[in-house]
Structures are given as structure tokens and as C-alpha cells.
Amino acid sequence: MVKCKKVKQNDRLGRKEKPKFGESCMLRNLGILRRVVPSCEEVDDEEALILKSIQHLMLLKSQVTLLRKLADVCGV
């Protein structure tokens, strides 16, 4: 009877590691910001993207404030 040598399966090369959950969420959120905020599609730097999104939110907030004041003046 011939006995076969056992081969260990633990020594596999090229095993991929899963991306961490936080990293994938951050990349997805940055992609959403690039699509939602105007003129941010070409921005590569994360810090610049966040600053542009904050500027856009401040602009939207000022527009809402102006529209509310106009609505109060007009009596709507």
C-alpha cells in the first residue's frame, strides 16, 4: 500500500484580503459627493472635495434663507 504525502493548504500564495468596511463606506460616500455636488467630478483630493461640498451647502442654506424672507414679505 502506497501512502500519499499530505499537502498543507495554508501556504497559498496571492491570498486577497478583504477591504475594510470603513474604507469601502468612505469611498462610496466620496463617490456620492462627487455626483451630487456640482463641479466636483474632477476633484481627486478628499479634502478639496469636502471643502467644495461645504461651500455648496452654505450656498444652499443662504438661498433657503432668502426664499423664506421673500415668502414672509409676500405673505405666502
Side-chain angles (χ1 to χ4, degrees):
M1 188 165 158
V2 178
K3 289 188 177 183
C4 293
K5 199 175 192 182
K6 290 185 180 179
V7 178
K8 289 184 180 180
Q9 296 295 327
N10 294 339
D11 295 332
R12 292 185 208 164
L13 295 176
R15 175 178 266 184
K16 270 185 162 177
E17 292 193 24
K18 286 185 178 180
K20 296 192 177 188
F21 183 72
E23 292 173 7
S24 63
C25 287
M26 183 184 71
L27 290 175
R28 184 175 58 237
N29 290 339
L30 289 175
I32 290 171
L33 269 181
R34 280 190 180 98
R35 286 191 305 268
V36 172
V37 178
S39 73
C40 282
E41 296 88 11
E42 66 277 351
V43 177
D44 292 332
D45 185 30
E46 296 169 5
E47 187 176 339
L49 179 65
I50 291 171
L51 287 174
K52 276 191 167 254
S53 64
I54 290 171
Q55 290 172 352
H56 186 67
L57 287 174
M58 296 301 289
L59 175 69
L60 291 174
K61 183 179 177 183
S62 65
Q63 289 175 350
V64 167
T65 304
L66 177 67
L67 289 173
R68 282 185 180 162
K69 287 181 180 179
L70 287 174
D72 288 344
V73 168
C74 294
V76 176

